[in-house]
Amino acid sequence: MKNCIAISCAVLLGLGSAAAMADDDISREEAARLVEQGTIQSLESLEQKALSIKAGQITDRDLELDDGRYEYKLDIRSEDGTDWDITLDAATGDVIKTEQDD
């Protein structure tokens, strides 16, 4: 469990360099607390889930609270250059949305 928390914290530290945080985004500290409490899955496991749906490179990521549900939103650029938006339920890992970005 401590390894998962440490890995999640490391991933969270990288969030700041990957994207500017919007007003409705969850802070890195809050996200780490939610992972530690078991409210949401580790961000690393959610990223692995997203990459299993669309292989490529994560170009942006945001953890948000939307209508009472924590959602992890990722932008992925596939190897062919296509951009994808993937939204996961951060608590369950279920896919909420997968769509090609325009």
Side-chain angles (χ1 to χ4, degrees):
M1 181 67 181
K2 287 183 181 182
N3 284 342
C4 285
I5 293 170
I7 291 170
S8 295
C9 288
V11 170
L12 287 171
L13 291 173
L15 287 176
S17 63
M21 297 294 228
D23 289 339
D24 57 349
D25 288 347
I26 304 299
S27 71
R28 291 182 285 235
E29 295 80 15
E30 178 70 7
R33 186 181 65 75
L34 292 168
V35 170
E36 186 174 324
Q37 291 175 339
T39 303
I40 64 172
Q41 294 184 16
S42 73
L43 301 184
E44 179 185 63
S45 68
L46 293 169
E47 289 180 6
Q48 289 175 354
K49 169 85 177 200
L51 290 171
S52 73
I53 297 165
K54 291 292 175 189
Q57 181 175 354
I58 297 172
T59 59
D60 193 12
R61 55 181 65 88
D62 294 299
L63 178 63
E64 300 177 355
L65 182 60
D66 188 15
D67 292 328
R69 175 174 60 187
Y70 290 101
E71 296 180 354
Y72 198 41
K73 299 179 178 187
L74 301 107
D75 295 341
I76 296 176
R77 178 161 292 137
S78 65
E79 292 179 10
D80 67 1
T82 306
D83 292 321
W84 293 88
D85 295 328
I86 298 181
T87 303
L88 302 174
D89 182 310
T92 65
D94 292 339
V95 178
I96 296 170
K97 177 179 79 170
T98 301
E99 69 181 14
Q100 187 173 349
D101 201 9
D102 295 331

